[in-house]
Structure formats: C-alpha cells, structure tokens
Amino acid sequence: MGRLAQTDGLTEIQRDILATVRDFVDKEIIPVATELEHKDEYPTAIVEGMKQLGLFGLTIPEEFGGLGESLLTYALVVEEIARGWMSVSGIVNTHFIVAHMINAHGTQEQKEYFLPRMAAGEIRGAFSMSEPGLGSDVAAISTKGVRDGDEYVLNGQKMWLTNGGTSTLVAVLCKTDEGGSSPYKNMTTFLIEKTPGFGPNPTVPGLTVPGKIEKMGYKGVDTTELVLQDVRIPADRVLGGVPGKGFYQMMDGVEVGRVNVAARGCGVARRAFELGISYAQQRSTFGKKIAEHQAIQFKLAEMATKVEAAHQMMVMAARKKDSGQRNDLEAGMAKYLASEYCKEVVEDSFRIHGGYGFSKEYEIERLYREAPMLLIGEGTAEIQKMIVGRRLLEEYRLAD
C-alpha cells in the first residue's frame, strides 16, 4: 500500500474495517471486475460477499442491526470499493442514501420495519428523484401523488434509477400539491416495496421497470426507468409520515450522496494512478523504462497530487457532516474536485499506456469509460459550482 490517500485520526475499528475491505477488493473484485464489466453482468457473488461483511448496514445504527459507523467510514469504504470496480460502489450507494433518509427522517415504525432488513442486505434500496425532462430542475417534477382516503395514487415516469431492477425498496419523489404555493413544499417521498426484476411488477400493480438502460460505462449495475400508472401506496409509506417534506429529505440524501460520489472519484483515480505508475516501470522506449523519462515523471507527479488533494477534500466533507454541521459547501467542493480530477488522472494514465490503453485487455480502458459518469452523478459540475458560489456569498457577504 502506497502513501497516497492516507487518513489521519482513524480509530482502530475504522482501520480494521478498511483493511478488511481492501483485502476483499484485492481478492474478490479486481480479478473479476473487467470480465464482468465487459459482459455487463451483475456481480452477484461480490454482493453476497459484501452482505457477509455487513457493508449494507455499515451506517445503520446498532439498535437496528447495523454497524453504526460514520459517514467518513462509509466514504473510505466506498473509495476502496470504487478502486476495485466503480459499479459495485454504485450498488451500495443508493442503498446507503435510502437507509440514511429513513434513519434521519422516517417514523419510528418505518425505522423498525425497514432498517434491520436493510442492514442485513435483505432489502436493498434505490433512490428515485430524476425524470426524463427534469435534469437539475427538481422544482419541475411532474410525477404526481394524489391522496385517496388512506392511500396515495401515483402516476408518472422516473429516470436514472441505479439498482432500479435489483432493488426491493425505492424512495420515490412525487409532486403532491398539499403544501401551498411553494413548489418545494409540494413534494413528498414515498417508500415503495417491490419485487426485484424487470417488466410489470408482480406485487405492485401499475409499477413497471422497463429494462436496463444501455450505457458506455458503469456496467454490471442496472440503471433503469420507473413507470408508475395508478400505483396505490398506503399513506403510512410517506417518508416521515407527513407529506410535503420530500424535497428537503431528498436533498439531505443527495448531500451525503455527493460525498459518496467524491469517494468514488478518489477510488477510481487512485486505481488509475496505480495502473499508470506500474505500467511506466514495465514499458521501455528509447532504451529505458518510460518512468525514467521526465515527461512521464511530470505526469505521475501531477496525478499523485490530484489523488491526494481529492482524497483530503472528501475526508473534510465527510467529517463536517459527521460533526452535525452544514456541509453543502464542502460536499459540493469535494464532489466537483474529485470528479474532475478523476477524469484527468484517468486520462493521463490512459496516455501513459499508449496504444495499449485502447485495448479492452487493459484495465485502464474500463476506467476511461467509467470516469465520465462521476461528472454527472449527484449533480453536474455546474450545479456544484452554483451551490458553492451561493454559499460563499452567504459566508462573505458585505455588510449593508
């Protein structure tokens, strides 16, 4: 293990967890990741291994059967998993977001019902906010929930669900028009249990997961649409029991999700650096290893600096959230920096590999297709800069 991306101040338990995950990644993920990715095959054996390690319950409180670990621990675990294969980190990310939302905002009944089974990996979560015409404008949401006695009737179409097919619980944001004039008080999160699979759902009439969306990268994990046609959901499956709080619940989930995406960027960048510095010491040109050429050393220096900077920014954002403080500024910075640096480090490693980087036999080819997703997931760079800019103006506003 190199000296890059080390984290000071960890407890012995945190170090033990990370060592266990790192060993799992090296033995169970890296050797099979490229083959599974090329086949676009769901990593069933890897997921079962993560269940046995307790990773699906990593941040769920001990009273509900989880390990009760911090966002920092989770982010560092995700960094290690993404180093092995980014798609696997996506499988746990949406599950983690939904578990966080239930723990932070759910009723006691919802916590007792969902969290123990989520901790065991028996229920796996998916997060559904985006829509085909929505983009970053959450206020333009059109999927609608209408109250009908003790139920809500949901209609609409959602987009870009990670784990949409394999999940058994989906947190779905809908417009409910029960909160007055503000669009942000007219959104509600519904917790929908379903059977895994594609097509019309056998246990939820009117709910359909059409199939996997074909992607250039981020394969293995399923990304789907979600169609709701007169889907009836009991009112007690409104997250928190009170309608109109969905926007704020989802934004809380996205905020921790941004730390997760930053961690994924750190993991992919670190793997790209490892591949690049290894290849540079094996490949020879003009009578010497290319690592001895100054141009390659400059690239390696820049790559390592970016890996280190992104890691430390991600750690700071996670620790800020764990302390109970507002961290949208730090999370936005971390997500923006880590995703942009990841793209640059991967491309530099790709260049170091030369023509071989273009071959599917080399791992860097997979990373080159995976990195762009991080530029978009949990908010684009432009959204992060808008968030950061607004927060900076709040912090540095001139006195009237």
Side-chain angles (χ1 to χ4, degrees):
M1 182 178 174
R3 65 182 294 171
L4 290 183
Q6 299 298 299
T7 309
D8 293 332
L10 297 181
T11 65
E12 185 175 348
I13 291 175
Q14 288 174 314
R15 290 194 296 271
D16 287 345
I17 290 172
L18 291 175
T20 300
V21 173
R22 191 176 302 118
D23 185 63
F24 178 78
V25 168
D26 287 339
K27 292 179 179 178
E28 306 296 335
I29 298 182
I30 289 178
V32 300
T34 296
E35 179 183 358
L36 292 176
E37 197 271 349
H38 287 169
K39 293 179 180 178
D40 198 6
E41 182 177 327
Y42 188 79
T44 302
I46 293 173
V47 171
E48 287 301 313
M50 292 195 299
K51 284 171 63 175
Q52 293 175 17
L53 291 176
L55 297 187
F56 285 100
L58 188 62
T59 61
I60 292 174
E62 292 182 14
E63 64 182 293
F64 299 115
L67 298 179
E69 277 295 327
S70 63
L71 176 59
L72 174 62
T73 306
Y74 178 77
L76 294 175
V77 164
V78 165
E79 182 180 27
E80 292 294 340
I81 294 173
R83 173 181 157 267
W85 184 12
M86 193 182 76
S87 293
V88 178
S89 66
I91 291 170
V92 294
N93 178 40
T94 53
H95 176 88
F96 156 72
I97 291 176
V98 175
H100 169 80
M101 290 169 60
I102 293 173
N103 186 54
H105 306 287
T107 64
Q108 188 64 27
E109 179 196 12
Q110 289 168 351
K111 294 177 186 179
E112 292 174 356
Y113 180 80
F114 288 112
L115 292 181
R117 288 188 291 161
M118 294 186 79
E122 296 171 6
I123 290 180
R124 293 211 292 275
F127 175 85
S128 180
M129 180 171 65
S130 187
E131 296 180 1
L134 192 61
S136 301
D137 183 12
V138 182
I141 187 172
S142 61
T143 299
K144 196 161 187 177
V146 178
R147 185 77 181 243
D148 183 18
D150 292 333
E151 297 179 318
Y152 279 85
V153 181
L154 312 183
N155 282 281
Q157 183 179 3
K158 309 299 284 187
M159 194 71 176
W160 307 120
L161 278 76
T162 300
N163 299 322
T166 49
S167 61
T168 53
L169 173 66
V170 187
V172 182
L173 184 66
C174 297
K175 185 178 180 182
T176 46
D177 291 337
E178 295 177 298
S181 59
S182 171
Y184 301 105
K185 294 182 180 179
N186 282 304
M187 301 183 213
T188 299
T189 304
F190 293 91
L191 301 172
I192 303 178
E193 289 186 89
K194 69 177 186 66
T195 305
F198 300 98
N201 200 270
T203 56
V204 185
L207 186 146
T208 302
V209 179
K212 292 197 298 185
I213 297 170
E214 295 295 327
K215 304 161 292 186
M216 76 173 188
Y218 198 40
K219 294 178 180 290
V221 59
D222 50 291
T223 304
T224 75
E225 299 174 72
L226 181 72
V227 179
L228 304 123
Q229 187 172 6
D230 294 331
V231 173
R232 289 187 169 270
I233 299 298
D236 63 6
R237 286 297 175 261
V238 168
L239 180 60
V242 180
K245 297 183 178 182
F247 175 78
Y248 307 99
Q249 295 164 346
M250 284 274 170
M251 288 304 103
D252 183 32
V254 167
E255 196 170 283
V256 294
R258 283 178 180 145
V259 175
N260 172 281
V261 172
R264 283 198 258 179
C266 292
V268 173
R270 180 145 59 96
R271 183 59 179 167
F273 171 79
E274 291 171 355
L275 294 172
I277 198 168
S278 175
Y279 184 81
Q281 295 173 79
Q282 298 172 47
R283 172 72 166 163
S284 296
T285 62
F286 304 102
K288 60 182 177 181
K289 302 296 185 185
I290 64 172
E292 298 176 32
H293 293 291
Q294 189 179 66
I296 299 299
Q297 291 177 9
F298 282 1
K299 277 193 184 299
L300 293 172
E302 291 169 1
M303 292 161 67
T305 301
K306 290 172 181 177
V307 167
E308 186 67 20
H311 173 84
Q312 298 303 337
M313 179 69 80
M314 177 270 291
V315 168
M316 179 184 70
R319 281 182 162 149
K320 193 89 168 181
K321 184 74 172 179
D322 282 333
S323 71
Q325 300 178 68
R326 182 177 177 180
N327 87 324
D328 53 345
L329 174 67
E330 291 78 11
M333 285 181 168
K335 194 275 173 183
Y336 167 60
L337 190 77
S339 59
E340 294 291 335
Y341 276 179
C342 175
K343 176 201 69 172
E344 294 169 11
V345 171
V346 167
E347 182 169 338
D348 279 342
S349 183
F350 177 83
R351 290 172 183 267
I352 288 172
H353 280 76
Y356 289 102
F358 208 63
S359 167
K360 284 185 174 289
E361 294 182 17
Y362 282 73
E363 189 178 340
I364 190 63
E365 181 270 344
R366 169 170 62 83
L367 271 58
Y368 194 78
R369 289 183 290 103
E370 289 179 337
M373 197 286 289
L374 298 171
L375 300 172
I376 301 166
E378 315 295 15
T380 63
E382 290 73 22
I383 288 295
Q384 307 312 318
K385 287 188 279 189
M386 184 176 70
I387 293 169
V388 169
R390 287 174 177 174
R391 287 287 286 115
L392 290 173
L393 286 171
E394 290 179 19
E395 294 287 336
Y396 289 88
R397 188 172 302 280
L398 297 176
D400 294 331

